[in-house]
Amino acid sequence: QVQLVESGGGSVQAGGSLRLSCAASGFSHDSNYRLYCMAWFRQTPGKEREGVAAISRFGDTKYADSVKGRFTISRDNTKNTFYLQMNGLKPEDTAMYYCAADGTRSGLCYTLLRDTDFDDWGQGTQVSVSS
């Protein structure tokens, strides 16, 4: 089973930046990491988990409208790690951020970012943005 470990969360003021990382392991072969769609979700208490960004094995990306132009997802297939660069942070970005992996489509991502399409999840990292 794939293990995902997030890092990089923290507290910043509005307008600041953070970079989240998600290290993936547990593949039968290291190259299998390439066969996963990787994504970031976030959740605040009392709300449903929201898809933030996803990246396919080919580097195709998709973003929630709320983060377009501010967040950038990327992946390093040599390190089995992917990232979420968050710039221009707003108080409404405050949430627990989770990384997720879907290996059912050979590295392609579904059109919609739905948490039900992802089987493997990290433990989460908290991002807090103050005004």
Side-chain angles (χ1 to χ4, degrees), residues 89-104:
L89 282 161
K90 303 176 181 180
E92 51 263 44
D93 294 318
T94 295
M96 185 71 78
Y97 283 71
Y98 299 90
C99 60
D102 169 32
T104 63

mmCIF file with all atom_site columns, all heavy atoms in Angstrom, residues 89-104:
data_model
loop_
_atom_site.group_PDB
_atom_site.id
_atom_site.type_symbol
_atom_site.label_atom_id
_atom_site.label_alt_id
_atom_site.label_comp_id
_atom_site.label_asym_id
_atom_site.label_entity_id
_atom_site.label_seq_id
_atom_site.pdbx_PDB_ins_code
_atom_site.Cartn_x
_atom_site.Cartn_y
_atom_site.Cartn_z
_atom_site.occupancy
_atom_site.B_iso_or_equiv
_atom_site.pdbx_formal_charge
_atom_site.auth_seq_id
_atom_site.auth_comp_id
_atom_site.auth_asym_id
_atom_site.auth_atom_id
_atom_site.pdbx_PDB_model_num
ATOM 1   N N   . LEU A 1 89  ? -1.453  33.777 -0.076  1.00 0.00 ? 89  LEU A N   1
ATOM 2   C CA  . LEU A 1 89  ? -2.386  33.068 0.796   1.00 0.00 ? 89  LEU A CA  1
ATOM 3   C C   . LEU A 1 89  ? -3.406  34.014 1.412   1.00 0.00 ? 89  LEU A C   1
ATOM 4   O O   . LEU A 1 89  ? -3.103  35.173 1.735   1.00 0.00 ? 89  LEU A O   1
ATOM 5   C CB  . LEU A 1 89  ? -1.627  32.326 1.888   1.00 0.00 ? 89  LEU A CB  1
ATOM 6   C CG  . LEU A 1 89  ? -0.975  31.017 1.405   1.00 0.00 ? 89  LEU A CG  1
ATOM 7   C CD1 . LEU A 1 89  ? 0.121   30.561 2.365   1.00 0.00 ? 89  LEU A CD1 1
ATOM 8   C CD2 . LEU A 1 89  ? -2.025  29.932 1.237   1.00 0.00 ? 89  LEU A CD2 1
ATOM 9   N N   . LYS A 1 90  ? -4.608  33.487 1.560   1.00 0.00 ? 90  LYS A N   1
ATOM 10  C CA  . LYS A 1 90  ? -5.725  34.234 2.118   1.00 0.00 ? 90  LYS A CA  1
ATOM 11  C C   . LYS A 1 90  ? -6.237  33.515 3.371   1.00 0.00 ? 90  LYS A C   1
ATOM 12  O O   . LYS A 1 90  ? -6.063  32.297 3.501   1.00 0.00 ? 90  LYS A O   1
ATOM 13  C CB  . LYS A 1 90  ? -6.858  34.325 1.108   1.00 0.00 ? 90  LYS A CB  1
ATOM 14  C CG  . LYS A 1 90  ? -6.467  34.939 -0.221  1.00 0.00 ? 90  LYS A CG  1
ATOM 15  C CD  . LYS A 1 90  ? -7.625  34.893 -1.203  1.00 0.00 ? 90  LYS A CD  1
ATOM 16  C CE  . LYS A 1 90  ? -7.250  35.486 -2.546  1.00 0.00 ? 90  LYS A CE  1
ATOM 17  N NZ  . LYS A 1 90  ? -8.389  35.445 -3.511  1.00 0.00 ? 90  LYS A NZ  1
ATOM 18  N N   . PRO A 1 91  ? -6.888  34.228 4.273   1.00 0.00 ? 91  PRO A N   1
ATOM 19  C CA  . PRO A 1 91  ? -7.439  33.549 5.464   1.00 0.00 ? 91  PRO A CA  1
ATOM 20  C C   . PRO A 1 91  ? -8.352  32.386 5.110   1.00 0.00 ? 91  PRO A C   1
ATOM 21  O O   . PRO A 1 91  ? -8.383  31.381 5.836   1.00 0.00 ? 91  PRO A O   1
ATOM 22  C CB  . PRO A 1 91  ? -8.198  34.674 6.160   1.00 0.00 ? 91  PRO A CB  1
ATOM 23  C CG  . PRO A 1 91  ? -7.448  35.909 5.797   1.00 0.00 ? 91  PRO A CG  1
ATOM 24  C CD  . PRO A 1 91  ? -7.036  35.692 4.368   1.00 0.00 ? 91  PRO A CD  1
ATOM 25  N N   . GLU A 1 92  ? -9.061  32.482 4.011   1.00 0.00 ? 92  GLU A N   1
ATOM 26  C CA  . GLU A 1 92  ? -9.948  31.389 3.617   1.00 0.00 ? 92  GLU A CA  1
ATOM 27  C C   . GLU A 1 92  ? -9.208  30.156 3.120   1.00 0.00 ? 92  GLU A C   1
ATOM 28  O O   . GLU A 1 92  ? -9.831  29.119 2.874   1.00 0.00 ? 92  GLU A O   1
ATOM 29  C CB  . GLU A 1 92  ? -10.954 31.855 2.555   1.00 0.00 ? 92  GLU A CB  1
ATOM 30  C CG  . GLU A 1 92  ? -10.337 32.549 1.366   1.00 0.00 ? 92  GLU A CG  1
ATOM 31  C CD  . GLU A 1 92  ? -10.377 34.059 1.493   1.00 0.00 ? 92  GLU A CD  1
ATOM 32  O OE1 . GLU A 1 92  ? -10.065 34.583 2.591   1.00 0.00 ? 92  GLU A OE1 1
ATOM 33  O OE2 . GLU A 1 92  ? -10.703 34.721 0.481   1.00 0.00 ? 92  GLU A OE2 1
ATOM 34  N N   . ASP A 1 93  ? -7.903  30.245 2.972   1.00 0.00 ? 93  ASP A N   1
ATOM 35  C CA  . ASP A 1 93  ? -7.100  29.063 2.637   1.00 0.00 ? 93  ASP A CA  1
ATOM 36  C C   . ASP A 1 93  ? -6.771  28.234 3.878   1.00 0.00 ? 93  ASP A C   1
ATOM 37  O O   . ASP A 1 93  ? -6.195  27.146 3.762   1.00 0.00 ? 93  ASP A O   1
ATOM 38  C CB  . ASP A 1 93  ? -5.791  29.472 1.958   1.00 0.00 ? 93  ASP A CB  1
ATOM 39  C CG  . ASP A 1 93  ? -6.017  30.119 0.603   1.00 0.00 ? 93  ASP A CG  1
ATOM 40  O OD1 . ASP A 1 93  ? -6.862  29.618 -0.157  1.00 0.00 ? 93  ASP A OD1 1
ATOM 41  O OD2 . ASP A 1 93  ? -5.327  31.112 0.311   1.00 0.00 ? 93  ASP A OD2 1
ATOM 42  N N   . THR A 1 94  ? -7.089  28.753 5.045   1.00 0.00 ? 94  THR A N   1
ATOM 43  C CA  . THR A 1 94  ? -6.827  28.029 6.282   1.00 0.00 ? 94  THR A CA  1
ATOM 44  C C   . THR A 1 94  ? -7.585  26.706 6.282   1.00 0.00 ? 94  THR A C   1
ATOM 45  O O   . THR A 1 94  ? -8.798  26.669 6.079   1.00 0.00 ? 94  THR A O   1
ATOM 46  C CB  . THR A 1 94  ? -7.258  28.865 7.496   1.00 0.00 ? 94  THR A CB  1
ATOM 47  O OG1 . THR A 1 94  ? -6.440  30.035 7.562   1.00 0.00 ? 94  THR A OG1 1
ATOM 48  C CG2 . THR A 1 94  ? -7.124  28.073 8.785   1.00 0.00 ? 94  THR A CG2 1
ATOM 49  N N   . ALA A 1 95  ? -6.855  25.617 6.485   1.00 0.00 ? 95  ALA A N   1
ATOM 50  C CA  . ALA A 1 95  ? -7.451  24.281 6.435   1.00 0.00 ? 95  ALA A CA  1
ATOM 51  C C   . ALA A 1 95  ? -6.384  23.238 6.768   1.00 0.00 ? 95  ALA A C   1
ATOM 52  O O   . ALA A 1 95  ? -5.192  23.550 6.808   1.00 0.00 ? 95  ALA A O   1
ATOM 53  C CB  . ALA A 1 95  ? -8.022  23.989 5.053   1.00 0.00 ? 95  ALA A CB  1
ATOM 54  N N   . MET A 1 96  ? -6.847  22.022 6.950   1.00 0.00 ? 96  MET A N   1
ATOM 55  C CA  . MET A 1 96  ? -5.933  20.877 6.971   1.00 0.00 ? 96  MET A CA  1
ATOM 56  C C   . MET A 1 96  ? -5.781  20.431 5.517   1.00 0.00 ? 96  MET A C   1
ATOM 57  O O   . MET A 1 96  ? -6.778  20.205 4.832   1.00 0.00 ? 96  MET A O   1
ATOM 58  C CB  . MET A 1 96  ? -6.506  19.746 7.811   1.00 0.00 ? 96  MET A CB  1
ATOM 59  C CG  . MET A 1 96  ? -5.556  18.562 7.980   1.00 0.00 ? 96  MET A CG  1
ATOM 60  S SD  . MET A 1 96  ? -4.164  18.947 9.047   1.00 0.00 ? 96  MET A SD  1
ATOM 61  C CE  . MET A 1 96  ? -4.973  18.829 10.650  1.00 0.00 ? 96  MET A CE  1
ATOM 62  N N   . TYR A 1 97  ? -4.544  20.318 5.090   1.00 0.00 ? 97  TYR A N   1
ATOM 63  C CA  . TYR A 1 97  ? -4.252  19.930 3.715   1.00 0.00 ? 97  TYR A CA  1
ATOM 64  C C   . TYR A 1 97  ? -3.785  18.481 3.674   1.00 0.00 ? 97  TYR A C   1
ATOM 65  O O   . TYR A 1 97  ? -2.911  18.082 4.458   1.00 0.00 ? 97  TYR A O   1
ATOM 66  C CB  . TYR A 1 97  ? -3.190  20.842 3.114   1.00 0.00 ? 97  TYR A CB  1
ATOM 67  C CG  . TYR A 1 97  ? -3.732  22.188 2.716   1.00 0.00 ? 97  TYR A CG  1
ATOM 68  C CD1 . TYR A 1 97  ? -4.112  23.122 3.674   1.00 0.00 ? 97  TYR A CD1 1
ATOM 69  C CD2 . TYR A 1 97  ? -3.899  22.528 1.373   1.00 0.00 ? 97  TYR A CD2 1
ATOM 70  C CE1 . TYR A 1 97  ? -4.633  24.354 3.315   1.00 0.00 ? 97  TYR A CE1 1
ATOM 71  C CE2 . TYR A 1 97  ? -4.407  23.765 0.999   1.00 0.00 ? 97  TYR A CE2 1
ATOM 72  C CZ  . TYR A 1 97  ? -4.778  24.662 1.976   1.00 0.00 ? 97  TYR A CZ  1
ATOM 73  O OH  . TYR A 1 97  ? -5.303  25.889 1.612   1.00 0.00 ? 97  TYR A OH  1
ATOM 74  N N   . TYR A 1 98  ? -4.360  17.736 2.744   1.00 0.00 ? 98  TYR A N   1
ATOM 75  C CA  . TYR A 1 98  ? -4.049  16.320 2.594   1.00 0.00 ? 98  TYR A CA  1
ATOM 76  C C   . TYR A 1 98  ? -3.542  16.044 1.181   1.00 0.00 ? 98  TYR A C   1
ATOM 77  O O   . TYR A 1 98  ? -4.095  16.570 0.210   1.00 0.00 ? 98  TYR A O   1
ATOM 78  C CB  . TYR A 1 98  ? -5.293  15.469 2.816   1.00 0.00 ? 98  TYR A CB  1
ATOM 79  C CG  . TYR A 1 98  ? -5.911  15.586 4.182   1.00 0.00 ? 98  TYR A CG  1
ATOM 80  C CD1 . TYR A 1 98  ? -6.888  16.538 4.448   1.00 0.00 ? 98  TYR A CD1 1
ATOM 81  C CD2 . TYR A 1 98  ? -5.530  14.727 5.211   1.00 0.00 ? 98  TYR A CD2 1
ATOM 82  C CE1 . TYR A 1 98  ? -7.470  16.655 5.704   1.00 0.00 ? 98  TYR A CE1 1
ATOM 83  C CE2 . TYR A 1 98  ? -6.100  14.828 6.470   1.00 0.00 ? 98  TYR A CE2 1
ATOM 84  C CZ  . TYR A 1 98  ? -7.068  15.785 6.700   1.00 0.00 ? 98  TYR A CZ  1
ATOM 85  O OH  . TYR A 1 98  ? -7.641  15.884 7.953   1.00 0.00 ? 98  TYR A OH  1
ATOM 86  N N   . CYS A 1 99  ? -2.534  15.200 1.081   1.00 0.00 ? 99  CYS A N   1
ATOM 87  C CA  . CYS A 1 99  ? -2.154  14.727 -0.239  1.00 0.00 ? 99  CYS A CA  1
ATOM 88  C C   . CYS A 1 99  ? -2.786  13.363 -0.467  1.00 0.00 ? 99  CYS A C   1
ATOM 89  O O   . CYS A 1 99  ? -3.075  12.629 0.476   1.00 0.00 ? 99  CYS A O   1
ATOM 90  C CB  . CYS A 1 99  ? -0.640  14.676 -0.411  1.00 0.00 ? 99  CYS A CB  1
ATOM 91  S SG  . CYS A 1 99  ? 0.268   13.608 0.709   1.00 0.00 ? 99  CYS A SG  1
ATOM 92  N N   . ALA A 1 100 ? -3.015  13.058 -1.727  1.00 0.00 ? 100 ALA A N   1
ATOM 93  C CA  . ALA A 1 100 ? -3.714  11.834 -2.090  1.00 0.00 ? 100 ALA A CA  1
ATOM 94  C C   . ALA A 1 100 ? -3.168  11.291 -3.394  1.00 0.00 ? 100 ALA A C   1
ATOM 95  O O   . ALA A 1 100 ? -2.624  12.040 -4.211  1.00 0.00 ? 100 ALA A O   1
ATOM 96  C CB  . ALA A 1 100 ? -5.208  12.102 -2.221  1.00 0.00 ? 100 ALA A CB  1
ATOM 97  N N   . ALA A 1 101 ? -3.327  9.969  -3.572  1.00 0.00 ? 101 ALA A N   1
ATOM 98  C CA  . ALA A 1 101 ? -2.820  9.310  -4.770  1.00 0.00 ? 101 ALA A CA  1
ATOM 99  C C   . ALA A 1 101 ? -3.870  8.367  -5.333  1.00 0.00 ? 101 ALA A C   1
ATOM 100 O O   . ALA A 1 101 ? -4.559  7.663  -4.587  1.00 0.00 ? 101 ALA A O   1
ATOM 101 C CB  . ALA A 1 101 ? -1.538  8.535  -4.441  1.00 0.00 ? 101 ALA A CB  1
ATOM 102 N N   . ASP A 1 102 ? -3.954  8.358  -6.647  1.00 0.00 ? 102 ASP A N   1
ATOM 103 C CA  . ASP A 1 102 ? -4.863  7.446  -7.345  1.00 0.00 ? 102 ASP A CA  1
ATOM 104 C C   . ASP A 1 102 ? -4.064  6.693  -8.393  1.00 0.00 ? 102 ASP A C   1
ATOM 105 O O   . ASP A 1 102 ? -3.549  7.305  -9.330  1.00 0.00 ? 102 ASP A O   1
ATOM 106 C CB  . ASP A 1 102 ? -5.988  8.232  -8.007  1.00 0.00 ? 102 ASP A CB  1
ATOM 107 C CG  . ASP A 1 102 ? -6.805  7.373  -8.968  1.00 0.00 ? 102 ASP A CG  1
ATOM 108 O OD1 . ASP A 1 102 ? -6.943  6.164  -8.699  1.00 0.00 ? 102 ASP A OD1 1
ATOM 109 O OD2 . ASP A 1 102 ? -7.280  7.906  -9.982  1.00 0.00 ? 102 ASP A OD2 1
ATOM 110 N N   . GLY A 1 103 ? -4.010  5.384  -8.233  1.00 0.00 ? 103 GLY A N   1
ATOM 111 C CA  . GLY A 1 103 ? -3.237  4.565  -9.163  1.00 0.00 ? 103 GLY A CA  1
ATOM 112 C C   . GLY A 1 103 ? -4.086  3.718  -10.088 1.00 0.00 ? 103 GLY A C   1
ATOM 113 O O   . GLY A 1 103 ? -3.590  2.763  -10.681 1.00 0.00 ? 103 GLY A O   1
ATOM 114 N N   . THR A 1 104 ? -5.360  4.071  -10.235 1.00 0.00 ? 104 THR A N   1
ATOM 115 C CA  . THR A 1 104 ? -6.261  3.223  -11.014 1.00 0.00 ? 104 THR A CA  1
ATOM 116 C C   . THR A 1 104 ? -6.326  3.582  -12.493 1.00 0.00 ? 104 THR A C   1
ATOM 117 O O   . THR A 1 104 ? -6.966  2.871  -13.266 1.00 0.00 ? 104 THR A O   1
ATOM 118 C CB  . THR A 1 104 ? -7.679  3.286  -10.430 1.00 0.00 ? 104 THR A CB  1
ATOM 119 O OG1 . THR A 1 104 ? -8.169  4.624  -10.542 1.00 0.00 ? 104 THR A OG1 1
ATOM 120 C CG2 . THR A 1 104 ? -7.693  2.851  -8.978  1.00 0.00 ? 104 THR A CG2 1
#
